[in-house]
Amino acid sequence: MMSAKTKHKVIAIQNLWSTKIQFLKGVGPANAAKLSKLGIFTIGQLLEHYPRRYEDRSKLKLIAELSDGVYETFRAVVVNVGELKSHRGLKIVKIAVRDQTGLAHLTWFNQSYIKNKYKQGMELIISGKIQRRFNTIEVNKPDIELAAEFNSGSGRIVPVYPATEDVPQWQLRALLRQAVDIIQISAGTERTESLPADIIFQYGLMDRLKALASIHFPADMETLAQARRRLVFEELYLLQCGLAYLKQRNKYSCTGVKHAPDGALISKIEKSLPFTLTNDQIQTIREIKADMEDTTPMQRLVQGDVGSGKTVVAALALAKTVENGYQGAMMAPTEILAEQHYHTLARLLAPHGVRLAILTGKLTRRARDEILAHIKDGIIDIVVGTHALIQDDVEFKHLGLVVTDEQHRFGVRQRARLEAKGQQPDVLVMTATPIPRTMALTVYGDLDVSVIRELPPGRQPVATYARGTDRREKVYSFAVNQIKAGRQVYIVCPLVEESEKIEAQSAVKIYEELSTSFFKNYQCGLLHGKMKSQDKDSVMAAFANGEIKALITTTVIEVGVNVPNATVMIIEGADRFGLAQLHQLRGRVGRGEHQSYCILLSDSTNEETIERLKILTQVSDGFVLAEKDLLLRGPGQFFGTIQHGMPDLKIADIIKDTDILLEARRAAQQTVCTPEYLDTVWQTLLNWFGEKFSMVFCR
Ligand code: ADP
Ligand code: MG
């Protein structure tokens, strides 16, 4: 364990880290409020406001050399400060500057205070986008530093921060200069290192203070690279330690449910399955059974591409817990899905005497109370449900297994709440969004992973086409022909991320249009997020039993829905969706014996967009697509759609920093096996990653 001495020092640094930003000179209530808009409340947060990029000012230009449209930096002297009014009443501050090669004009609109800041004769370092017009050079809203300060202070490589109107670049630089100076003063007196000495040595890392100072004010590019590597390593290492720690803790808590080897019920069910399992399914089920038969609580993630057959895997796991006298729970993100799982499970398991119930938000009070009573006294073996499952009044007699489907829709916290309803139940998490390996290591590092990659035999890949909206008519008459041949069709309306209401309105409009034109001879259905759940259910049921031929819908259809007779998926405004999402949508077809089609309609002329849609027409493997999606959209957006409750990575980029990630992971595993380190790391973890982090790890 840590000595008392080190503990004290670590805490002292933490104090500085969490000291309010007002502690700095020049930050009063007004500035603090402005900084808070950048998410900066403390000195620690300021220090973690890392530069977005750097400017190498050893490469200062002369005015005569400035090129139009380019972001450039030059040194010049103020020759005139003036303000004029445009004909539309805008106030324009105009400052003329010159060097030995020419004259340039700096302009600001409606920012009169600027004119008091600069006086004739001042020497400035000016950065901004150059506009050359005829013989004049103009720079609008440039970034300015006094040459005197520039020379003394910041060195040649200058940080460029994410800034706002209210908190300009120069102010951020000044504040960071101050903060970096303060932490450097404490260098001699404090233990400022957060990582174990062995790790620093072994991985050749820069020390923490130097790294923090250098990430903001690097002496040269090489130092900057070293500083960044150190900080990225730290961030990923702490994350990996948390994940490895959880896994370790789980491994040594021998208090889980120990299931017996397969008995009569399992073998009866396996014999009566309507199909032969694929090799990947068999392997996954084997891994699950081994986990369940062990005393260590199972913590397993099943990643399976859409249509790979995850439900039957869940069914067998649930049956196993029932066979052992326990109860199972399965949580799905939407009512449509819960309903569907309930029916699938009932079909597979009820004939063998397993008692199932469904618990969703729409049950009447009485029905709900009755089910709750039966769950509590153990009459019900398996309960399927939505978030309704995690309400406080849901009590199990002896919960042995928790399955969550489409995990990315749930916060980790919700999963934990369901798990808490049993005594260390086994946990199975299923996701249909394949996650690239690097990301899986970051998000799911605490889980064991099974992968179902293989699709059931006989599945033909969905033929996918990207089409301009000028081909819309053709596309719809193709769909009509499919209906004539007995098949069914999905039409997905454009995504409106900001507003479910607007999305619903657009769905209604498209429904009205299509049901009176192309599909006027066929039964159409409408499904969107703003409908009452009863209405949604009846539409879904009518589509599932083939009554409705064309279903006009929004992304509520995205996950899990299984109607094998549907063979056409038309996506309007396909450019608005991410690759992973389009792949999910496409996965709604190609679930039966018939050749299926996915048509991506878009009138976008943006080259990137066209390229993105083209990838989908060429690639049908969800894992490959996920990698590409991550590359195209970057981790931020990708995470956003995948997982909530993931700690923000402040500096690491899990795509570009894969090498460091793997190193950090190795180091973390080493640390977790060295208990005297773990305490330090754990403290650091909680303090530096804050609330979000404890949400993920303190369960
Ligand atoms: P997902 O992994 O997307 O949840 P499902 O579990 O809904 O996939 O299965 C998709 C379809 O494939 C279902 O109709 C299911 O009955 C069928 N299926 C699953 N496994 C097999 C198999 N081994 N052979 C044939 N069909 C299968
Ligand atoms: Mg599914």
Side-chain angles (χ1 to χ4, degrees):
M1 291 291 122
M2 272 185 305
S3 71
K5 205 171 152 213
T6 37
K7 197 166 214 158
H8 167 74
K9 282 174 179 173
V10 169
I11 288 167
I13 286 294
Q14 299 310 332
N15 283 346
L16 179 60
W17 205 253
S18 56
T19 299
K20 291 258 175 301
I21 194 79
Q22 280 97 319
F23 178 81
L24 297 179
K25 264 187 252 137
V27 185
N31 273 332
K34 289 173 184 171
L35 283 161
S36 73
K37 291 202 186 113
L38 282 167
I40 300 171
F41 299 87
T42 64
I43 293 182
Q45 285 164 338
L46 177 69
L47 285 165
E48 284 185 346
H49 192 71
Y50 295 120
R52 191 173 44 203
R53 60 185 179 84
Y54 300 83
E55 245 167 55
D56 188 348
R57 290 189 174 168
S58 54
K59 302 194 181 89
L60 291 184
K61 288 276 174 68
L62 293 168
I63 288 179
E65 298 169 335
L66 300 174
S67 333
D68 182 44
V70 178
Y71 191 98
E72 307 238 58
T73 302
F74 59 101
R75 178 194 299 256
V77 177
V78 176
V79 289
N80 184 40
V81 179
E83 186 170 30
L84 37 111
K85 239 183 186 146
S86 80
H87 54 274
R88 277 178 295 149
L90 281 179
K91 283 185 188 157
I92 306 172
V93 174
K94 210 165 185 165
I95 297 180
V97 297
R98 71 171 313 138
D99 67 6
Q100 66 271 32
T101 66
L103 197 65
H105 296 281
L106 318 179
T107 56
W108 288 263
F109 295 98
N110 281 345
Q111 282 178 275
S112 292
Y113 69 91
I114 297 273
K115 67 175 187 278
N116 304 321
K117 271 179 59 181
Y118 302 105
K119 295 190 174 49
Q120 221 177 353
M122 274 183 170
E123 196 180 4
L124 308 178
I125 304 293
I126 300 146
S127 305
K129 194 160 161 196
I130 307 302
Q131 296 175 296
R132 260 181 185 280
R133 298 219 177 91
F134 308 109
N135 282 328
T136 68
I137 292 179
E138 207 172 289
V139 193
N140 184 234
K141 260 176 69 181
D143 191 18
I144 293 184
E145 260 183 286
L146 299 180
E149 284 174 14
F150 170 76
N151 289 338
S152 64
S154 39
R156 300 200 327 271
I157 302 167
V158 180
V160 179
Y161 294 99
T164 62
E165 201 75 20
D166 286 344
V167 189
Q169 227 19 268
W170 63 267
Q171 190 175 17
L172 279 166
R173 274 185 207 137
L175 289 175
L176 273 153
R177 185 74 259 173
Q178 232 191 105
V180 165
D181 288 347
I182 290 172
I183 58 165
Q184 276 177 329
I185 291 166
S186 66
T189 55
E190 301 281 0
R191 205 193 85 132
T192 50
E193 189 46 76
S194 61
L195 300 178
D198 294 16
I199 301 266
I200 301 234
F201 177 74
Q202 190 178 340
Y203 293 91
L205 301 171
M206 186 182 270
D207 82 67
R208 178 161 223 277
L209 273 190
K210 180 158 188 221
L212 270 175
S214 304
I215 197 81
H216 291 290
F217 304 106
D220 52 54
M221 286 301 182
E222 173 54 29
T223 314
L224 174 60
Q226 288 301 323
R228 186 173 181 281
R229 180 170 118 80
R230 147 75 209 215
L231 294 170
V232 169
F233 185 98
E234 175 182 301
E235 191 165 59
L236 294 172
Y237 168 77
L238 291 172
L239 182 61
Q240 290 299 323
C241 278
L243 293 164
Y245 172 76
L246 282 184
K247 197 161 177 177
Q248 186 89 346
R249 191 181 64 176
N250 187 51
K251 198 161 141 201
Y252 291 115
S253 85
C254 300
T255 52
V257 178
K258 186 172 164 67
H259 293 82
D262 290 350
L265 179 66
I266 291 290
S267 72
K268 262 198 308 181
I269 294 170
E270 285 182 343
K271 281 200 194 94
S272 68
L273 289 179
F275 40 69
T276 318
L277 295 170
T278 64
N279 290 327
D280 282 357
Q281 283 172 323
I282 291 169
Q283 175 63 23
T284 299
I285 290 166
R286 192 180 296 142
E287 286 164 358
I288 291 170
K289 284 177 178 172
D291 285 357
M292 290 178 74
E293 287 167 19
D294 198 278
T295 45
T296 302
M298 171 165 71
Q299 294 274 329
R300 184 167 291 277
L301 171 76
V302 175
Q303 278 198 58
D305 206 348
V306 270
S308 62
K310 293 182 293 296
T311 319
V312 64
V313 170
L316 286 168
L318 287 163
K320 188 174 177 76
T321 209
V322 173
E323 182 176 76
N324 282 269
Y326 295 100
Q327 292 166 297
M330 181 164 184
M331 185 158 72
T334 63
E335 296 201 341
I336 294 177
L337 266 182
E339 205 86 40
Q340 184 181 294
H341 282 322
Y342 171 72
H343 290 302
T344 309
L345 294 177
R347 226 174 16 248
L348 292 169
L349 306 180
H352 304 283
V354 176
R355 294 155 302 189
L356 297 102
I358 178 160
L359 198 64
T360 57
K362 65 170 196 225
L363 290 176
T364 62
R365 180 86 210 197
R366 258 189 69 190
R368 182 181 153 85
D369 286 347
E370 194 179 344
I371 291 175
L372 289 188
H374 289 340
I375 295 174
K376 195 171 175 184
D377 59 23
I379 288 179
I380 288 170
D381 298 315
I382 294 176
V383 53
V384 183
T386 54
H387 295 80
L389 273 182
I390 55 175
Q391 306 295 310
D392 287 336
D393 56 355
V394 183
E395 287 173 62
F396 288 83
K397 185 164 181 215
H398 31 216
L399 183 60
L401 172 68
V402 168
V403 181
T404 53
D405 188 22
E406 314 297 350
Q407 126 92 11
H408 61 282
R409 290 293 176 99
F410 294 111
V412 177
R413 213 171 227 177
Q414 291 166 318
R415 175 154 59 101
R417 274 184 72 179
L418 184 55
E419 285 159 30
K421 293 190 179 292
Q423 294 232 324
Q424 304 257 37
D426 282 328
V427 173
L428 190 60
V429 176
M430 316 237 264
T431 171
T433 308
I435 294 162
R437 184 181 137 75
T438 46
M439 184 172 272
L441 290 179
T442 321
V443 185
Y444 297 124
D446 63 324
L447 305 179
D448 296 305
V449 179
S450 299
V451 177
I452 311 181
R453 194 149 185 167
E454 184 186 2
L455 297 182
R459 287 284 170 74
Q460 298 141 298
V462 177
T464 304
Y465 307 93
R467 292 288 182 256
T469 41
D470 53 322
R471 306 274 285 277
R472 203 161 170 252
E473 200 153 318
K474 269 208 156 129
V475 168
Y476 280 106
S477 57
F478 171 76
V480 168
N481 283 334
Q482 285 281 307
I483 294 176
K484 276 185 190 151
R487 307 283 83 79
Q488 290 162 277
V489 178
Y490 292 99
I491 296 104
V492 175
C493 306
L495 178 71
V496 186
E497 221 147 357
E498 313 78 51
S499 161
E500 200 176 15
K501 191 165 156 214
I502 297 175
E503 189 172 74
Q505 285 165 351
S506 115
V508 171
K509 228 174 97 199
I510 294 179
Y511 171 79
E512 280 165 1
E513 182 208 331
L514 293 177
S515 60
T516 55
S517 58
F518 297 108
F519 300 124
K520 64 173 186 286
N521 297 323
Y522 302 97
Q523 178 76 38
C524 293
L526 172 66
L527 191 70
H528 61 69
K530 284 276 154 190
M531 283 163 57
K532 286 208 202 88
S533 62
Q534 271 146 313
D535 298 340
K536 275 193 250 181
D537 289 346
S538 61
V539 170
M540 230 17 253
F543 190 64
N545 70 25
E547 230 171 276
I548 290 177
K549 302 295 179 196
L551 183 63
I552 290 105
T553 176
T554 61
T555 42
V556 290
I557 210 71
E558 183 186 344
V559 272
V561 169
N562 188 33
V563 179
N565 190 48
T567 56
V568 182
M569 165 64 63
I570 298 173
I571 302 171
E572 297 265 359
D575 47 282
R576 306 222 190 156
F577 298 87
L579 278 182
Q581 215 171 5
L582 289 169
H583 180 64
Q584 283 294 319
L585 289 169
R586 172 167 67 178
R588 298 313 106 218
V589 297
R591 307 192 133 239
E593 56 200 303
H594 307 286
Q595 172 65 52
S596 294
Y597 307 87
C598 174
I599 298 135
L600 310 167
L601 286 172
S602 159
D603 50 14
S604 171
T605 51
N606 180 303
E607 252 175 65
E608 255 173 61
T609 307
I610 294 169
E611 196 50 40
R612 190 156 56 94
L613 296 182
K614 203 168 127 207
I615 292 175
L616 212 69
T617 66
Q618 295 162 339
V619 179
S620 58
D621 184 325
F623 288 84
V624 176
L625 279 173
E627 298 271 1
K628 297 205 184 242
D629 203 20
L630 182 56
L631 273 176
L632 284 172
R633 290 201 295 167
Q637 271 195 22
F638 194 91
F639 266 138
T641 59
I642 290 226
Q643 163 94 13
H644 308 284
M646 175 69 203
D648 268 341
L649 293 175
K650 297 260 168 35
I651 188 163
D653 174 331
I654 57 166
I655 306 170
K656 296 190 186 125
D657 296 324
T658 311
D659 292 348
I660 307 180
L661 172 65
L662 294 176
E663 275 183 336
R665 186 173 151 79
R666 230 182 322 129
Q669 268 146 9
Q670 184 185 331
T671 300
V672 168
C673 298
T674 318
E676 61 268 30
Y677 285 168
L678 195 57
D679 242 29
T680 328
V681 171
W682 190 248
Q683 265 300 323
T684 316
L685 207 73
L686 287 179
N687 287 325
W688 286 347
F689 281 76
E691 154 73 6
K692 257 190 172 170
F693 200 76
S694 48
M695 211 169 102
V696 179
F697 292 114
C698 295
R699 47 179 202 214

